[in-house]
């Protein structure tokens, strides 16, 4: 099992719809979870992070965490063409140092 | 403040030559990471530094790849005897173990990358 797994996509949604991006992880000790966005030809940038079970909302973005199921998701409401990018899930190791493992990313396409 | 910088931004080399890629992390960031990203692919972890030491070199693809970090700051990734399959974008990121404004600990800040092309 990979440490962090994501569906590579592409995930296509119409403009205005909700995009749901999923990530599973294997390190049960992980405490924090990150979502990065990477536009084509650009470097990844942090868009959301979550520590606690449940939901965390920031504008049109909602991160959801279920530690028992080792599952974290990102919902994008009212998807816009500008949201078209690859979304990377990242999970720091629980081993007491700053190693972070990235998933392979899900490519999102928002169709106008 | 200044972000992560990388140089050169583009490097074209001939097969068999050695190349050096440089990363300047954000000042004060203790952790530094190198990744490789081939066209259309995900991030491939290469090596991680904590200070000047590298507790995890597990991602280096072969002994042609090496990296060092000096003074807890600048890092250099060296690829010897380059091969065509080494062609990719090499990304560097840095992080710190404390909150910084919006960002939580371990948030990675990425540089713009070095695009390496081996002919």
């Amino acid at each position: 099992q990979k440490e962090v797994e994501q569906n590579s996509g592409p995930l296509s949604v119409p403009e205005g719809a909700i995009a749901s991006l999923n990530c599973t992880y294997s390190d049960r000790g992980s405490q924090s979870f990150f979502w990065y966005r990477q536009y084509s030809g650009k470097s990844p940038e942090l868009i959301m992070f979550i520590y606690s079970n449940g939901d965390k909302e920031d504008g049109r973005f909602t991160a959801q965490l279920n530690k028992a199921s080792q599952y974290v998701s990102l919902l994008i409401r009212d998807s816009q063409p500008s949201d078209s990018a690859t979304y990377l899930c990242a999970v720091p190791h629980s081993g007491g140092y700053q190693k972070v493992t990235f998933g392979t990313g899900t490519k999102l396409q928002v169709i106008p | 403040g200044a972000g992560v910088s990388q140089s050169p931004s583009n490097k074209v080399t001939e097969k068999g030559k050695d190349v050096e890629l440089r990363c300047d992390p954000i000042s004060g960031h203790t952790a530094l990471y190198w990744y490789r990203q081939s066209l259309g692919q995900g991030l491939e972890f290469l090596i991680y530094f904590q200070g000047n030491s590298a507790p995890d070199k597990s991602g280096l693809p072969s002994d042609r790849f090496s990296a060092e970090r000096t003074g807890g700051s600048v890092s250099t990734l060296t690829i010897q005897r380059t091969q065509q399959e080494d062609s990719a974008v090499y990304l560097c990121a840095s992080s710190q173990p404390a909150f910084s404004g919006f960002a939580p600990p371990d948030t990675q800040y990425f540089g713009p990358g070095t695009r390496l092309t081996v002919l």
Side-chain angles (χ1 to χ4, degrees), chain A residues 58-75:
Chain A
D58 183 2
R60 295 185 296 110
F61 296 90
T62 298
Q64 298 177 318
L65 175 61
N66 184 324
K67 288 187 177 180
S69 300
Q70 296 173 251
Y71 176 94
V72 59
S73 64
L74 179 70
L75 301 179

Side-chain angles (χ1 to χ4, degrees), chain B residues 6-28:
Chain B
Q6 293 186 245
S7 60
S9 55
N10 278 286
K11 177 71 176 179
V12 180
T13 190
E14 294 179 348
K15 178 181 173 180
K17 301 284 189 182
D18 297 352
V19 295
E20 284 190 354
L21 312 180
R22 176 186 167 107
C23 172
D24 248 301
I26 294 172
S27 178

Side-chain angles (χ1 to χ4, degrees), chain A residues 18-102:
Chain A
I18 296 175
S20 178
L21 306 163
N22 305 315
C23 172
T24 58
Y25 60 93
S26 61
D27 185 347
R28 284 195 170 274
S30 294
Q31 298 296 314
S32 56
F33 306 87
F34 299 82
W35 284 99
Y36 287 77
R37 178 176 61 200
Q38 186 176 23
Y39 290 114
S40 181
K42 301 295 186 182
S43 298
E45 57 177 342
L46 180 71
I47 54 170
M48 286 285 287
F49 61 90
I50 186 168
Y51 291 114
S52 305
N53 272 333
D55 295 359
K56 178 184 177 184
E57 188 174 317
D58 183 2
R60 295 185 296 110
F61 296 90
T62 298
Q64 298 177 318
L65 175 61
N66 184 324
K67 288 187 177 180
S69 300
Q70 296 173 251
Y71 176 94
V72 59
S73 64
L74 179 70
L75 301 179
I76 307 174
R77 291 182 301 282
D78 188 24
S79 295
Q80 302 296 308
S82 59
D83 295 326
S84 297
T86 296
Y87 290 80
L88 302 162
C89 174
V91 181
H93 285 213
S94 59
Y97 61 97
Q98 296 164 262
K99 172 76 183 294
V100 175
T101 298
F102 282 82

Side-chain angles (χ1 to χ4, degrees), chain B residues 1 13 15 19 21 28 30-31 45 61 66 76 79 81 97 107 112-114 116:
Chain B
T13 190
K15 178 181 173 180
V19 295
L21 312 180
T30 54
F45 168 78
S66 63
T76 302
I79 308 173
R81 305 181 302 281
T107 298
T114 293
L116 175 65

